[in-house]
């Protein structure tokens, strides 16, 4: 099988729940467990020799950061990797259709389609095997608790044939616990399906009103040019006998918020024990899984971990405690401060004895693939939901203050403590 | 005064003064501290509250102190008898069988406070008040106007919480009292420190009686009640937040009168403002202590600790890198590493707070172990 990999990375208008961390760094480049988010997808793809090329599609401007990232990844994995920039929002199906020539260059039989904010074990080999029997379109699914399923695309799956007989994106009422996990293996035939859908939209026909009505009903993209895989294509493909579900029961996480990023950080650090044990630090003042960039300077009296990632050039003073947290590049943690369940942004400064803490998002261990996400920042009573504390880039905290369950925008100088606040 | 004066001599000496301290009951407002220790024995500035008062009375010439209590505590009796011996004075307990209010206990103690031989004025004070106790000045002022009673008044920020006193500024003659005024009347309140002539006993009976409502107003009408304004510090330390406020005032006063008692900066430890440290306490490296901190006997402060505006009682331990502000840490308690304790948190005896805990305005009862943060004010039983 000749394959390609396409990773949709979104753009600045997407991933807004990841703010303030995504305000000046594209979310796909946000470091999880020491490496950019999308690095983990690329690494999984690089292990498959049948994948001849990896394509990233998004609408970020190709900044220096993106270019440098791509260069590093190409060198690291020795595979062609390119970034294709969308100029207008074409929808998840529209954009792959737009770049179909690039994708079909070299005549691959199929391609993996992944979303950069989906985090899982990427069962690529297993999906390839599965596709040999079930084709032409394979969609990975996972099972989530009933009350969370309505936030995703729900699939009705025939248990014997694995066929997806019904698909609806974000239904108003409960449909199924099996949801679209955002990893596909699609035959290149799909471009014909998209093409015919596109034609139907443009060509005035007797049934155009009916089509438009159906589109309006489905709440899909505004304008004829935006075609969404989830809203427009999958519902049609379901029950045509062409779409099959690869049901995975392994680890899966949707990274929408800082809380889920921290949870993914913890999970990836744990996985390093088997995949990259050399990445985990082992000094005596570390506890549990800790990733420390080699250029970070940490005082030996500081106690770091478990579940901590320390970025490049970070300086950590005497007696500092860091637990279940990410400290991004260039941050300075002064003597005796305490960081719990938080993300400290690039170049932040935390004063002596200050305490930065959040409320860790916990996943119900009894529910399969329960997601970490609170979908709205505020509850019905108008209170900010307790979550991890996030400091944006270049935030300065004076000594001895307490920041709890708060989100602080970049470049802010605080003069006192806060709790349960969004600080602009 | 000779500390070896025999016990039996004291009550036959001519010209000795007597005093009554209204101790009252269980000290519920200072719980959890008073669950294990009778309130008069709770250490304030590393010395039992009662001892501050008794020592000041002794200095003004008092040789008999009557303690008006509503329940007998063996601990209190034993400890006060030890101090009595040491100071060469007599301590008597006067126990009420039923609650007698604020005047009844004075009447009950009549036989201890005056007799045919002794008709000197006697002091009365509330056991919760902390001050520089200008008892000699009070005696002088009282003799000066020659009337039946003198009370001390203190200027406070929030007079409506107390009973307000209206008086003639130049003589000190009291006109009237107003309980919890609805509008501003005066900012001087009854400080709970008095001196009375024995003739006052005709106004009281050993029955439930309120001195502010049933005695003082009549004395004021007859122009027999005067007041002296306290110029130095004064505080009612019956509840934790006032205890801490009083502590700050006391330390400021110490700085003025006996600065040598305060702790000086020593290697590795930064001292800010007024800090009182018992000589047996130990402080680790890189700590920053103060302003307004009291550390009791055998207290251990580990490295990198920051403490402000707090009292740490005997044998307590504060582990490294913690941060404390406005709290009272009870005897033998332990606060874990990287803890943050603030906002008038009070730990009872032998409380164990684990590492990295945050406590905000929490009262924790004795012998508790705390392993989760308490971010909002609460009582932990």
């Amino acid at each position: 099988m000749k394959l390609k990999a396409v990773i949709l990375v979104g753009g600045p208008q997407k991933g807004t729940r990841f703010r303030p961390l995504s305000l000046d760094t594209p979310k796909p480049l946000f470091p999880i467990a020491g490496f950019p988010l999308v690095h983990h997808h690329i690494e999984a793809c690089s292990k498959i020799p049948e994948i001849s090329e990896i394509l990233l599609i998004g609408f970020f401007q190709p900044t220096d950061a993106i270019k440098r990232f791509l260069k590093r990844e190409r060198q690291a994995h020795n595979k062609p990797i390119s970034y294709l920039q969308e100029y207008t929002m074409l929808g998840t199906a529209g954009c792959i259709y737009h770049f179909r020539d690039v994708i079909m260059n070299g005549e691959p039989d199929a391609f993996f389609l992944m979303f950069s904010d989906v985090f899982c074990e990427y069962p690529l080999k297993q999906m390839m095997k599965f596709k040999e029997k079930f084709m032409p379109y394979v969609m990975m699914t996972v099972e989530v608790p009933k009350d969370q399923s309505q936030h995703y695309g729900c699939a009705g799956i025939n248990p014997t044939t694995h066929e997806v007989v019904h698909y609806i994106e974000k239904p108003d009422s409960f449909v199924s616990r099996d949801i679209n996990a955002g990893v596909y293996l699609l035959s290149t035939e799909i471009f014909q399906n998209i093409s015919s859908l596109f034609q139907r939209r443009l060509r005035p026909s007797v049934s155009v009103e009916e089509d438009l009505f159906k589109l309006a009903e489905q709440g899909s993209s505004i304008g004829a040019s935006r075609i969404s895989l989830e809203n427009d294509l999958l519902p049609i493909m379901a029950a045509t006998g062409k779409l099959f579900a690869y049901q995975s029961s392994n680890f899966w996480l949707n990274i929408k918020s800082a809380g889920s990023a921290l949870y993914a950080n913890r999970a990836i650090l744990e996985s390093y024990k088997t995949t990259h044990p050399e990445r985990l630090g082992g000094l005596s003042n570390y506890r549990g899984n800790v990733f420390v960039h080699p250029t970070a300077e940490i005082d030996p009296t500081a106690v770091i971990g478990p579940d901590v990632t320390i970025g490049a050039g970070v300086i950590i003073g005497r007696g500092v405690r860091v637990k279940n947290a990410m400290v991004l590049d260039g941050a300075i943690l002064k003597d005796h401060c305490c960081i719990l369940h938080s993300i400290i942004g690039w170049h932040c400064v935390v004063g002596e004895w200050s305490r930065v803490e959040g409320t860790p998002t916990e996943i119900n261990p009894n529910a399969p693939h329960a997601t970490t996400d609170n979908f709205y920042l505020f509850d019905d009573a108008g209170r900010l939901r307790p979550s991890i504390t996030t400091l944006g880039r270049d935030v300065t905290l004076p000594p001895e203050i307490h920041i709890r369950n708060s989100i602080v925008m970049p470049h802010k100088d605080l003069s006192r403590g806060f709790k349960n606040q969004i600080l602009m | 005064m000779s500390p070896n004066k025999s016990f039996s001599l004291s009550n036959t000496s001519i010209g000795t003064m007597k005093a009554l301290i209204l101790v009252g009951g269980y000290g519920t407002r200072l719980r959890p501290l008073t669950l294990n220790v009778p309130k008069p024995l709770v250490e304030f500035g590393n010395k039992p509250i009662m001892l501050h008062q008794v020592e000041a009375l002794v200095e003004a010439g008092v040789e008999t102190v009557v303690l008006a209590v509503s329940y007998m505590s063996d601990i209190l009796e034993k400890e006060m008898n030890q101090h009595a011996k040491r100071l060469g004075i007599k301590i008597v307990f006067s126990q009420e069988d039923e609650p007698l209010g604020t005047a009844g206990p004075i009447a009950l103690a009549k036989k201890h406070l005056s007799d045919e031989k002794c008709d000197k004025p006697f002091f009365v004070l509330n056991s919760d008040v902390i001050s520089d106790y200008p008892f000699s000045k009070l005696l002088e002022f009282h003799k000066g106007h020659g009337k039946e009673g003198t009370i001390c008044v203190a200027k406070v920020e929030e007079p409506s919480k107390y009973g307000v006193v209206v008086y003639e500024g130049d003589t000190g003659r009291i006109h009237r009292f107003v309980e919890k005024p609805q509008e501003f009347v005066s900012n001087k309140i009854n400080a709970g420190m008095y001196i009375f002539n024995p003739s006052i006993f005709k106004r009281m009976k050993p029955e439930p009686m309120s001195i502010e409502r049933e005695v003082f107003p009549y004395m004021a009408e007859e122009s027999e009640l005067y007041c002296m304004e306290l110029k130095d510090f004064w505080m009612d330390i019956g509840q934790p937040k006032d205890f801490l406020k009083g502590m700050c005032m006391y330390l400021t006063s110490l700085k003025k009168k006996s600065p040598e008692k305060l702790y000086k900066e020593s290697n590795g430890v930064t001292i800010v403002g007024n800090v009182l440290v018992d000589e047996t306490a130990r402080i680790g490296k890189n700590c920053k202590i103060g302003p307004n901190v009291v550390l009791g006997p055998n207290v251990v402060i580990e490295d990198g600790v920051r403490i402000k505006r707090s009292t740490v009682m005997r044998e307590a331990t504060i582990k490294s890198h913690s941060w404390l502000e406005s709290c009272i840490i009870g005897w033998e308690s332990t606060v874990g590493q990287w803890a943050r304790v603030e906002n008038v948190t009070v730990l009872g005896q032998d409380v164990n707070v684990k590492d990295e805990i945050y406590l905000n305005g929490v009262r924790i009862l004795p012998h508790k172990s705390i392993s989760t943060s308490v971010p909002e004010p609460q009582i932990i039983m």
Side-chain angles (χ1 to χ4, degrees):
Chain A
M1 237 201 288
K2 276 171 34 184
L3 297 175
K4 291 226 181 154
V6 176
I7 307 175
L8 299 186
V9 298
Q13 290 104 321
K14 293 279 173 186
T16 57
R17 258 188 293 153
F18 212 63
R19 293 172 173 176
L21 299 168
S22 54
L23 280 176
D24 42 16
T25 295
K27 186 172 152 189
L29 295 190
F30 184 79
I32 304 274
F35 293 85
L37 186 53
V38 79
H39 157 90
H40 299 277
H41 302 66
I42 295 176
E43 191 179 48
C45 293
S46 68
K47 297 207 177 97
I48 311 289
E50 290 88 337
I51 295 179
S52 61
E53 187 183 20
I54 301 174
L55 301 167
L56 305 180
I57 304 181
F59 27 97
F60 292 102
Q61 296 281 35
T63 57
D64 286 342
I66 294 181
K67 289 189 197 148
R68 272 196 311 258
F69 166 73
L70 291 172
K71 189 166 164 199
R72 271 203 309 270
E73 294 292 313
R74 273 181 219 122
Q75 285 171 348
H77 303 294
N78 205 14
K79 254 212 219 293
I81 309 176
S82 316
Y83 173 65
L84 305 170
Q85 185 187 0
E86 290 175 79
Y87 288 92
T88 39
M89 299 249 247
L90 298 167
T92 39
C95 69
I96 53 172
Y97 182 75
H98 180 80
F99 291 111
R100 64 193 179 285
D101 294 333
V102 183
I103 298 173
M104 298 227 275
N105 188 13
E107 278 138 43
D109 305 299
F111 62 99
F112 284 104
L113 179 62
M114 295 187 259
F115 287 83
S116 63
D117 57 6
V118 160
F119 230 90
C120 62
E121 302 214 356
Y122 310 114
L124 305 181
K125 270 212 154 49
Q126 296 91 317
M127 283 172 79
M128 284 160 64
K129 199 140 185 267
F130 184 82
K131 188 173 182 302
E132 282 165 21
K133 273 203 330 206
F134 302 96
M135 33 183 168
Y137 308 123
V138 176
M139 172 176 83
M140 177 178 150
T141 64
V142 288
E143 200 185 308
V144 296
K146 195 168 154 181
D147 55 340
Q148 287 171 9
S149 66
Q150 288 165 244
H151 297 292
Y152 300 97
C154 302
I157 304 172
N158 181 317
T160 36
T161 64
H162 301 288
E163 191 194 334
V164 176
V165 297
H166 183 74
Y167 184 85
I168 175 166
E169 187 72 12
K170 296 190 178 60
D172 288 329
S173 58
F174 175 72
V175 169
S176 165
R177 291 212 307 270
D178 295 302
I179 59 140
N180 180 352
V183 181
Y184 309 83
L185 180 52
L186 305 169
S187 151
T188 46
E189 269 176 50
I190 194 151
F191 297 119
Q192 287 165 353
N193 287 70
I194 303 176
S195 170
S196 40
L197 186 60
F198 200 54
Q199 298 302 324
R200 272 217 317 269
R201 292 240 188 120
L202 291 184
R203 213 180 333 131
S205 71
V206 190
S207 57
V208 76
E209 265 189 56
E210 196 190 290
D211 280 344
L212 289 175
F213 184 72
K214 242 201 279 194
L215 286 173
E217 281 247 286
Q218 286 166 9
S220 61
S221 30
I222 315 148
S225 52
R226 268 214 236 169
I227 304 181
S228 156
L229 183 62
E230 303 82 9
N231 288 302
D232 302 324
L233 234 59
L234 294 179
I236 298 174
M237 294 201 303
T240 55
K242 290 190 171 186
L243 179 62
F244 294 89
Y246 173 79
Q247 289 166 285
S248 165
S249 51
N250 286 334
F251 171 75
W252 181 87
L253 186 62
N254 198 9
I255 300 185
K256 290 281 195 230
S257 65
S260 44
L262 195 58
Y263 189 84
N265 185 59
R266 196 198 312 183
I268 304 288
L269 286 176
E270 178 67 19
S271 76
Y272 282 170
K273 274 166 135 168
T274 40
T275 57
H276 291 281
E278 77 287 354
R279 287 182 184 171
L280 292 177
L283 293 184
S284 61
N285 55 333
Y286 297 172
R287 310 263 179 277
N289 300 328
V290 174
F291 171 89
V292 178
H293 195 276
T295 59
E297 288 170 30
I298 304 184
D299 188 278
T301 57
V303 177
I304 313 291
D307 303 322
V308 172
T309 298
I310 307 288
V314 165
I315 300 176
I316 297 186
R318 276 187 297 227
V320 171
R321 181 84 182 93
V322 185
K323 188 163 96 165
N324 191 31
M326 290 200 264
V327 182
L328 305 183
D329 297 357
I332 299 175
L333 305 182
K334 295 201 170 171
D335 295 354
H336 318 296
C337 71
C338 183
I339 314 290
L340 307 172
H341 319 300
S342 302
I343 298 181
I344 307 297
W346 306 263
H347 302 288
C348 284
V349 177
V350 178
E352 292 87 346
W353 282 292
S354 279
R355 181 181 177 103
V356 181
E357 72 176 312
T359 302
T361 39
E362 285 308 330
I363 287 191
N364 180 351
N366 296 319
H369 302 125
T371 184
T372 59
D373 273 333
N374 292 312
F375 288 86
Y376 298 105
L377 281 174
F378 291 87
D379 64 18
D380 289 333
R383 279 186 298 254
L384 188 64
R385 277 190 228 261
S387 69
I388 68 156
T389 284
T390 306
L391 303 187
R393 171 182 292 268
D394 185 39
V395 167
T396 300
L397 301 185
E400 302 185 37
I401 62 162
H402 186 204
I403 303 289
R404 187 155 189 274
N405 296 342
S406 293
I407 302 170
V408 186
M409 294 293 132
H411 311 294
K412 209 152 155 65
D413 257 5
L414 292 182
S415 55
R416 63 173 180 92
F418 289 93
K419 55 181 181 174
N420 309 315
Q421 297 288 344
I422 300 176
L423 299 161
M424 305 284 243
Chain B
M1 116 196 53
S2 124
N4 294 320
K5 207 164 169 187
S6 145
F7 219 63
S8 53
L9 281 179
S10 11
N11 63 345
T12 60
S13 314
I14 317 157
T16 59
M17 295 276 304
K18 298 185 168 57
L20 172 74
I21 302 182
L22 297 163
V23 176
Y26 294 90
T28 58
R29 285 178 306 155
L30 257 191
R31 287 176 173 169
L33 298 171
T34 47
L35 285 174
N36 292 86
V37 172
K39 190 175 60 168
L41 296 182
V42 172
E43 291 96 330
F44 176 83
N46 285 343
K47 190 194 300 194
I49 298 171
M50 171 149 291
L51 209 54
H52 287 270
Q53 300 176 328
V54 169
E55 285 179 0
L57 287 166
V58 168
E59 226 181 276
V62 169
E63 293 192 9
T64 301
V65 175
V66 184
L67 302 180
V69 297
S70 57
Y71 85 101
M72 266 319 283
S73 156
D74 293 336
I75 312 167
L76 181 61
E77 200 180 359
K78 207 163 110 191
E79 183 136 346
M80 290 320 293
N81 283 334
Q82 272 175 5
H83 289 301
K85 260 213 184 93
R86 177 174 64 86
L87 295 167
I89 61 167
K90 180 176 169 190
I91 288 190
V92 181
F93 283 85
S94 168
Q95 184 182 6
E96 55 195 50
D97 293 319
E98 48 156 352
L100 294 178
T102 40
I106 304 177
L108 185 68
K110 179 176 172 195
K111 58 179 185 287
H112 303 297
L113 293 169
S114 80
D115 49 40
E116 321 77 54
K117 275 185 271 173
C118 174
D119 63 349
K120 300 182 83 137
F122 59 92
F123 296 104
V124 175
L125 62 146
N126 211 322
S127 66
D128 285 347
V129 299
I130 207 82
S131 146
D132 56 321
Y133 305 118
F135 293 128
S136 306
K137 263 207 230 123
L138 183 60
L139 176 61
E140 217 178 284
F141 179 80
H142 179 73
K143 285 194 180 145
H145 63 69
K147 300 294 180 179
E148 196 168 64
T150 309
I151 70 173
C152 291
V153 289
K155 181 164 143 188
V156 292
E157 290 170 345
E158 293 177 53
S160 310
K161 293 200 311 200
Y162 310 89
V164 160
V165 182
V166 181
Y167 63 98
E168 240 166 55
D170 35 359
T171 60
R173 185 169 67 88
I174 292 181
H175 290 175
R176 66 183 201 282
F177 286 81
V178 187
E179 279 290 306
K180 300 194 174 32
Q182 294 300 309
E183 46 177 39
F184 184 81
V185 173
S186 155
N187 59 1
K188 308 289 192 303
I189 57 127
N190 175 359
M193 286 159 43
Y194 322 126
I195 183 167
F196 299 132
N197 293 344
S199 54
I200 201 177
F201 286 119
K202 65 180 186 287
R203 302 184 189 270
M204 308 181 199
K205 289 207 269 270
E207 286 167 9
M209 273 188 91
S210 159
I211 204 170
E212 297 93 349
R213 283 195 298 275
E214 297 174 71
V215 179
F216 287 165
Y218 298 109
M219 288 170 75
E221 250 173 64
E222 296 167 31
S223 299
E224 289 286 341
L225 190 62
Y226 278 65
C227 70
M228 183 183 90
E229 195 183 324
L230 291 173
K231 291 296 182 203
D232 211 329
F233 73 99
W234 176 89
M235 195 72 214
D236 175 337
I237 57 170
Q239 50 182 346
K241 79 171 164 69
D242 293 334
F243 182 100
L244 290 174
K245 225 172 173 183
M247 173 193 73
C248 297
M249 292 178 173
Y250 174 69
L251 291 174
T252 304
S253 164
L254 262 192
K255 175 80 193 242
K256 277 193 286 209
K257 305 208 174 125
S258 329
E260 70 288 352
K261 291 200 179 145
L262 295 177
Y263 194 75
K264 271 168 221 36
E265 196 139 334
S266 64
N267 25 331
V269 181
T270 306
I271 300 292
V272 181
N274 301 328
V275 175
L276 182 65
V277 180
D278 185 274
E279 57 189 21
T280 55
R282 295 192 325 268
I283 306 179
K285 301 194 307 282
N286 302 316
C287 289
K288 192 168 173 191
I289 312 287
N292 297 316
V293 173
V294 174
L295 304 181
N298 295 313
V299 157
V300 174
I301 310 290
E302 291 188 358
D303 296 346
V305 171
R306 179 87 183 89
I307 308 183
K308 297 195 279 196
R309 203 176 181 270
S310 299
T311 287
V312 182
M313 300 287 197
R314 179 182 15 97
E315 320 247 346
T317 299
I318 311 296
K319 295 200 161 167
S320 46
H321 316 298
S322 286
W323 186 93
L324 275 61
E325 181 177 45
S326 291
C327 51
I328 305 174
I329 307 297
W331 313 268
E332 297 157 44
S333 288
T334 303
V335 174
Q337 297 181 294
W338 293 289
R340 183 181 174 101
V341 184
E342 61 180 355
N343 196 21
V344 197
T345 287
V346 184
L347 268 50
Q349 178 165 6
D350 183 41
V351 168
N352 187 352
V353 176
K354 301 258 183 265
D355 297 347
E356 301 160 27
I357 299 293
Y358 170 54
L359 298 176
N360 174 16
V362 192
R363 298 216 195 171
I364 306 181
L365 266 58
H367 314 295
K368 272 300 287 181
S369 179
I370 305 295
S371 49
T372 37
S373 292
V374 187
E376 293 302 325
Q378 237 181 80
I379 300 176
I380 307 287
M381 302 247 239

